[in-house]
Amino acid sequence: MIRIKQRGGISHDNDYKLKDANPQLGERGPTGGGYGGRVWMNSGEKFSSTYDLVEQTHYLYVRVVKAKDLPHNGVTGSCDPYVEVKLGNYKGRTKHFENKRSPEWNQVFAFSKDRIQASNLEVFLKEREMVGRDDYIGRVVFDLSEVPSRVPPDSPLAPQWYRLEDRRGQGKVMGEIMLAVWMGTQADEAFSEAWHTETAFVQGEGLFSIRSKVYMTPKLWYLRVNVIEAQDLIPNDRSRAPEVLVKVQVGNQVLRTKISPPNTMNPLWNEDLIFVVAEPFEEQLVLTVEDRVHPSKDDVLGKIMLPVNIFEKRLDHRPVVSRWFNLERFGFGVLEGDRRMEQKFSSRVHLRVCLEGGYHVLDESTMYVSDTRPTARQLWKPPVGILEVGILGAQGLLPMKTKDGRGTTDAYCVAKYGQKWVRSRTILDSFAPKWNEQYTWEVYDPCTVITLGVFDNCHLGGSEKQSAAVSSARDSRIGKVRIRLATLESHRVYANSYPLLVLHPGGVKKMGELQLAVRFTSLSLANMIYIYGHPLLPKMHYIHPFTVNQIDSLRFQAMNLVAARLGRAEPPLRKEVVEYMLDVDSHLWSMRRSKANFFRIMSILSGTISISRWFGDVCHWKNPITSVLVHILFLILIWYPELILPTMCLYMFFIGLWNYRFRPRNPPHMNIKLSWAEAVHPDELDEEFDTFPTSRPHEIVRMRYDRLRSVAGRIQTVVGDIATQGERFQSLLSWRDPRATSLFVMFCLSAAVLLYVTPFRVVALVAGLYTLRHPKFRSKLPSVPSNFFKRLPSRADGLL
């Protein structure tokens, strides 16, 4: 058993800070006896881990396999059997079969050991009746003290046949049932598919939405369609010069080329159109050649539909072979097939189409990317590490909905890293759920981020009256946590309680705390050093880069594809969950985020500003001892210039060594001060949560527009000042001010002659001593170079 205890920071606002957790980590057998650790497997060097990052919880598992030789009903002559598993006050039930004497269920029931209040387990086999009480067929009783224990990686316990006995246990009856009963933990393979005691009140399809599942992101490709040219186009109106363009559609994605130069039946474009497609390829590429006859009307000149799987998969930047495709004349379709065959020739289009395997398809924000591998598996490098995450539980969750007149929360956790999504089981009606589930990911780049979100399950089923409301409900977001792997030390377990902070229209709100245990294991130090010296994205992103607008558009399309495919899984990972995990709205305007980013820039510049202030104090001899030491250091560097670079490197080495004492002890978390969420104005929050396009009244929109104009005016002034300084620098030699340029040119000539005849050390020494001169030798007026520079003209005079 591993005992985790860490040092954490103490803050005056401790409610929003990261806290240390003190869980009992490590795997224990059901009867005690600690064991755990990690195992290396030789085949493929795969990393296998026991459940040593979670608190072990024990369960009584009952696997109901099948039954045979069941008796017929004396009245109906049929047998509609089902099994009821009873442990104290908890009952689990299999589905029933109609008129089947040898049914097969293969269903597992899991009873939490903490809730066991009985000494015997009863398994009843009953027959369903349409009217009245169900008939009793037989039962099997187990003494819990005799139930064996199973601990993975032991093989599953083999089920056995048991003869049924009568209700009083005094004799055997006709029929047998195959069962397996054992004590285990959540590490058991049957855990995720088992019926749990917590789900006794969930009905129908809701049972599927509460189990833990692992999902895989569909394999995404960039589809590059290079529209080169078209030939032999026949416009519908030959009295005018055609304005031809090409429209390409893949699924819901539609892109168009520019309009070709008029007066030609053989237009040329040579434009690239980029789409996102997912395997298996279900959509077709629909290409239409159109003639722009009016700004609001296009005539279709030809059309072609192509399956995506016929195109070549490209792994690098080498060009693929172009192909000609014949266009179907618009109007000659199924109804006019005979006329279409009468065409002597057809228009055609020249295309170069390929599936790009050398890119990484971005479906998440580049700031929080969790995977950087290219699409083609042939280009993947071996993993550099293993990430293990133990989802322990949550504390202090707020009620998210009302049930039977009281607040309740049915929480589950979703984690996303790379192509693997995991969803924990749903803990019903608990503000302090305990999941204790552990998951593992292979890490291909440590400079990536794992995202974990907590949600409230609103799809638990119920009565028929509630089914329509449940199907249209959306799972509510409780909070999100991001952990950057580069901030984790190797082979160290981080057990912390992360605040779940959510921004509401009324301000930031703490929804609870998520308890996690995280461990990153490095497999090779050499591979890790190699990774840090190479680009973050595959090389195709740098050889043939996309524009910023293309990246945003393609990311939006990729997110829609991922949400659609994961929403079709069983149980579905719903669209609202996927969008929240992928930060679908991170690109929208927010005054709060703008302020936060501005102060981030000011924080970066604060170091430079501090150094300049310190240097100003040295020049003005605020501290004579420091000024004297700086003079001595300056003279040494002037006399030995070869020591400048080694001195700077040694200085940074000692700074890094000194800062090691103050390194962060815990991973970073959501910071409300950094996010500028503490003192945000309510109207700015309302603007951030506004829809796009806006749904607010005109008066509010006008007020916000005026506020945005004032902010943009200040930015405009700053940008104008920067442009002015640059134009003044350009005017030094442009002769816009003849006198200033003449003076500068003559100064340059004099300086060149002086520098040719004077050793560089002397020039550097004089310049340095002049800069560091005592305040007695300084004037409060601006220097001559500054006065000369500020008098230079700029192009601002020509602005309207």
Side-chain angles (χ1 to χ4, degrees), residues 712-728 793-797 799:
R714 291 194 289 269
I715 297 175
Q716 172 183 285
T717 302
V718 173
V719 173
D721 290 342
I722 295 174
T724 297
Q725 305 307 319
E727 289 170 354
R728 284 174 176 171
S794 69
R795 302 177 64 186
D797 307 337
L799 293 178

Side-chain angles (χ1 to χ4, degrees), residues 44-261:
E45 294 186 345
K46 294 295 181 182
F47 184 89
S48 175
S49 170
T50 57
Y51 272 47
D52 60 342
L53 291 184
V54 292
E55 296 177 334
Q56 296 305 305
T57 53
H58 303 290
Y59 293 87
L60 172 66
Y61 289 98
V62 181
R63 181 182 294 277
V64 181
V65 184
K66 55 186 176 180
K68 67 179 181 180
D69 301 332
L70 301 182
H72 289 291
N73 187 298
V75 178
T76 63
S78 64
C79 183
D80 304 332
Y82 70 90
V83 175
E84 182 181 272
V85 182
K86 181 180 179 182
L87 182 63
N89 296 327
Y90 294 102
K91 293 181 181 180
R93 176 175 169 175
T94 67
K95 61 181 179 179
H96 80 281
F97 290 96
E98 294 184 1
N99 195 19
K100 198 168 187 179
R101 295 185 61 200
S102 298
E104 293 187 12
W105 294 282
N106 197 26
Q107 187 171 345
V108 180
F109 299 84
F111 299 88
S112 176
K113 186 179 180 182
D114 297 336
R115 301 189 181 187
I116 294 178
Q117 298 179 351
S119 59
N120 292 327
L121 169 71
E122 297 177 287
V123 180
F124 296 96
L125 208 157
K126 297 183 178 181
E127 182 181 7
R128 185 180 181 183
E129 294 290 342
M130 300 299 295
V131 180
R133 298 179 60 182
D134 294 343
D135 284 347
Y136 175 87
I137 298 178
R139 71 169 186 171
V140 178
V141 181
F142 295 89
D143 186 351
L144 295 186
S145 62
E146 302 295 330
V147 172
S149 299
R150 175 191 176 250
V151 180
D154 291 351
S155 299
L157 192 68
Q160 300 179 28
W161 286 104
Y162 294 88
R163 288 287 302 274
L164 298 175
E165 59 184 28
D166 61 15
R167 188 186 303 270
R168 298 181 180 179
Q170 296 179 353
K172 302 296 182 181
V173 298
M174 183 177 178
E176 294 182 66
I177 185 171
M178 179 178 282
L179 301 171
V181 182
W182 71 95
M183 292 293 298
T185 67
Q186 74 268 43
D188 201 291
E189 295 86 350
F191 177 79
S192 61
E193 298 294 335
W195 175 95
H196 291 266
T197 52
E198 300 92 343
T199 64
F201 304 103
V202 182
Q203 303 175 4
E205 296 295 328
L207 284 171
F208 296 101
S209 67
I210 62 176
R211 294 172 177 168
S212 58
K213 288 290 181 181
V214 176
Y215 305 83
M216 295 303 295
T217 300
K219 192 174 184 179
L220 302 177
W221 295 78
Y222 285 138
L223 175 65
R224 185 186 296 270
V225 182
N226 179 223
V227 183
I228 302 173
E229 59 180 329
Q231 287 185 355
D232 304 327
L233 298 179
I234 304 176
N236 297 330
D237 184 5
R238 303 191 181 185
S239 62
R240 51 176 291 276
E243 299 179 1
V244 185
L245 59 90
V246 175
K247 182 179 76 173
V248 183
Q249 180 173 356
V250 180
N252 296 325
Q253 309 170 62
V254 180
L255 295 176
R256 293 176 172 84
T257 66
K258 297 178 181 178
I259 297 177
S260 68

Side-chain angles (χ1 to χ4, degrees), residues 55 62 64 115 117 134 184 199 224 364 425 470 491 501 528 536 593 607 620 632 680 709 719-720 735 771 776 792 798:
E55 296 177 334
V62 181
V64 181
R115 301 189 181 187
Q117 298 179 351
D134 294 343
T199 64
R224 185 186 296 270
E364 52 197 344
R425 70 189 191 280
V470 168
H491 311 285
L501 306 177
M528 194 71 67
L536 182 65
R593 285 200 204 102
H620 290 83
I632 295 173
V680 61
R709 289 177 64 189
V719 173
W735 295 90
T771 304
K776 292 182 178 181
L792 293 172

Side-chain angles (χ1 to χ4, degrees), residues 698-716:
H698 295 293
E699 295 77 10
I700 295 179
V701 175
R702 178 175 297 177
M703 181 271 293
R704 291 173 179 171
Y705 174 67
D706 291 339
R707 181 179 62 197
L708 188 60
R709 289 177 64 189
S710 65
V711 174
R714 291 194 289 269
I715 297 175
Q716 172 183 285

Side-chain angles (χ1 to χ4, degrees), residues 331-343:
F332 295 87
V334 176
L335 298 179
E336 304 182 27
D338 296 337
R339 288 188 56 192
R340 181 179 60 184
M341 298 303 295
E342 296 174 3
Q343 299 294 318

Side-chain angles (χ1 to χ4, degrees), residues 24-38:
Q24 301 289 329
L25 301 186
E27 193 163 352
R28 297 164 293 167
T31 59
Y35 63 93
R38 46 185 185 270

